């Protein structure tokens, strides 16, 4: 049983009772493959990331979360977009129902070694064409679509 459940454009979704700033990293290797982790709480493949802790910036949060979840040290190189869709809520086992609030940054690997954490069951660079056959949440697919568009401006939505 999953410890979280994502709802997206679902009229039966529970109402959000929480809004927590979080961020993720879109990191691409020299072949154009994207760093992805298979989440242990949902089974979906996702970009590494998480929520801010008091005393850190959102960029520091994304660097820390990427290190914790993948073993890789990254640096932030840009902004893909800001994702705050009220039609995407995440229900947790403790009763929290969080509205999406994610800022996705571009990142570049600076060191480390890929490792699996307690938050992931697999971590690897995944070819963009391979992603169509993997379980990936629609909101992460949107971010990957925006990356492939090579947008001149960050997404705001």
């Amino acid at each position: 049983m999953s410890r979280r459940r994502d709802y997206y454009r679902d009229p039966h979704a529970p109402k959000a009772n929480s809004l927590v700033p979080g961020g993720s990293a879109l990191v691409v290797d020299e072949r154009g493959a994207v760093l992805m982790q298979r989440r242990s709480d949902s089974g979906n493949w996702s970009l590494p990331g998480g929520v801010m802790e008091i005393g850190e910036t959102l960029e520091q949060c994304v660097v820390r979360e990427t290190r914790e979840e993948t073993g890789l040290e990254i640096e932030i190189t840009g902004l893909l977009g800001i994702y705050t869709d009220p039609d995407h809520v995440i229900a947790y086992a403790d009763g929290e129902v969080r509205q999406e609030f994610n800022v996705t940054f571009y990142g570049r690997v600076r060191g480390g070694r890929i490792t699996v954490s307690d938050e992931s069951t697999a971590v690897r660079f995944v070819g963009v064409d391979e992603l169509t056959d993997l379980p990936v949440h629609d909101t992460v697919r949107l971010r990957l679509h925006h990356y492939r568009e090579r947008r001149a401006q960050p997404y705001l939505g």
Side-chain angles (χ1 to χ4, degrees):
M1 176 87 175
S2 173
R3 292 177 296 197
R4 75 180 247 166
R5 178 168 177 205
D6 285 75
Y7 296 86
Y8 187 53
R9 298 181 179 161
D10 183 343
H12 305 293
K15 290 191 77 71
N17 58 28
S18 174
L19 186 65
V20 179
S24 56
L26 195 145
V27 179
V28 180
D29 71 7
E30 64 281 348
R31 299 172 296 120
V34 178
L35 179 64
M36 301 286 286
Q37 64 166 334
R38 186 145 198 197
R39 299 182 59 96
S40 59
D41 61 2
S42 69
N44 286 333
W45 285 87
S46 188
L47 302 172
V51 299
M52 285 178 68
E53 294 179 355
I54 292 174
E56 69 183 356
T57 68
L58 190 53
E59 288 183 37
Q60 291 168 333
C61 162
V62 171
V63 169
R64 174 184 52 77
E65 288 282 350
T66 301
R67 180 180 57 253
E68 290 174 1
E69 294 175 353
T70 71
L72 296 177
E73 293 288 340
I74 66 163
E75 68 176 338
I76 301 300
T77 60
L79 177 64
L80 175 66
I82 300 171
Y83 299 85
T84 59
D85 189 341
D87 287 333
H88 180 206
V89 297
I90 305 158
Y92 293 89
D94 65 0
E96 179 186 9
V97 181
R98 189 180 298 171
Q99 178 181 320
E100 174 185 54
F101 187 112
N102 179 281
V103 177
T104 302
F105 293 97
Y106 289 110
R108 175 177 39 238
V109 174
R110 301 300 292 171
R113 181 176 58 86
I114 288 182
T115 58
V116 174
S117 74
D118 62 347
E119 296 181 51
S120 59
T121 59
V123 176
R124 64 186 174 95
F125 283 90
V126 180
V128 175
D129 56 332
E130 188 182 352
L131 288 167
T132 56
D133 297 327
L134 296 176
V136 176
H137 193 271
D138 289 341
T139 58
V140 175
R141 288 194 191 281
L142 177 64
R143 295 172 203 159
L144 295 167
H145 174 74
H146 291 158
Y147 159 67
R148 287 191 301 271
E149 286 182 328
R150 302 195 189 285
R151 298 169 149 257
Q153 298 295 320
Y155 173 80
L156 304 173

